[in-house]
Amino acid sequence: MDYFISTDPARLDLATIHRYLSQDSYWARHIPLATVERAIAHSLCFGAYAPDGTLAGFCRVVTDRATFAWLCDVFVLPAHRGHGLGKQLVSSVLAHPDLQNLRRHLLATLDAHGLYEQHGYTPLRHPERWLERAHANPYPAPEAD
């Protein structure tokens, strides 16, 4: 299939992105729509589209466009997996003109190390230098009515 990638924020299907992140992802389960909207508004986003124009995949990059980029929220919808779309998304990110010659690109993944290693990502060279401040459950499940 002939998929295409766009960074045009007007093309993004916010409902589909929110549904995937809040219901199907392991990293953003129960994320509120307002949080997704704010994250997208302040990130460089990449939508992957099927030939009919519907959203097939997504990722966003948190970046200052000068020194640092964090690749996150990468997903391909189940109906579109197996066509190399994840690779195409990552390639598009790495080729984007605003993301060239940065000091560091980071990402975190539970299970897609092989995909990212194909694009030059490696484990942290000096993990002892890195610290994090993480919230174990930032998006708790909504209370039942």
Side-chain angles (χ1 to χ4, degrees):
M1 295 181 78
D2 293 324
Y3 291 93
F4 64 98
I5 308 291
S6 173
T7 57
D8 179 358
R11 291 190 64 92
L12 294 172
D13 179 346
L14 213 49
T16 298
I17 294 167
H18 175 252
R19 185 172 39 258
Y20 184 87
L21 292 175
S22 67
Q23 296 175 16
D24 298 328
S25 76
Y26 65 81
W27 63 90
R29 178 96 32 162
H30 306 298
I31 190 170
L33 176 59
T35 302
V36 173
E37 291 172 335
R38 194 167 64 246
I40 286 174
H42 296 283
S43 301
L44 175 57
C45 297
F46 294 74
Y49 300 93
D52 67 0
T54 59
L55 186 79
F58 172 80
C59 68
R60 68 184 181 91
V61 180
V62 179
T63 182
D64 61 8
R65 300 176 190 229
T67 65
F68 176 79
W70 172 41
L71 176 59
C72 57
D73 291 340
V74 181
F75 68 84
V76 174
L77 294 173
H80 301 281
R81 293 179 184 159
H83 300 286
L85 200 47
K87 291 179 185 180
Q88 192 176 342
L89 271 168
V90 176
S91 292
S92 295
V93 166
L94 296 177
H96 192 281
D98 289 352
L99 302 177
Q100 302 307 302
N101 302 312
L102 303 184
R103 183 180 322 143
R104 184 163 286 117
H105 282 248
L106 287 179
L107 63 84
T109 184
L110 179 65
D111 56 4
H113 296 77
L115 167 65
Y116 298 112
E117 288 169 350
Q118 292 175 41
H119 294 279
Y121 288 91
T122 62
L124 292 173
R125 187 176 318 170
H126 299 287
E128 69 279 3
R129 294 181 185 177
W130 292 86
L131 300 172
E132 74 172 330
R133 187 169 172 223
H135 187 290
N137 188 17
Y139 317 119
E143 298 210 13
D145 292 337

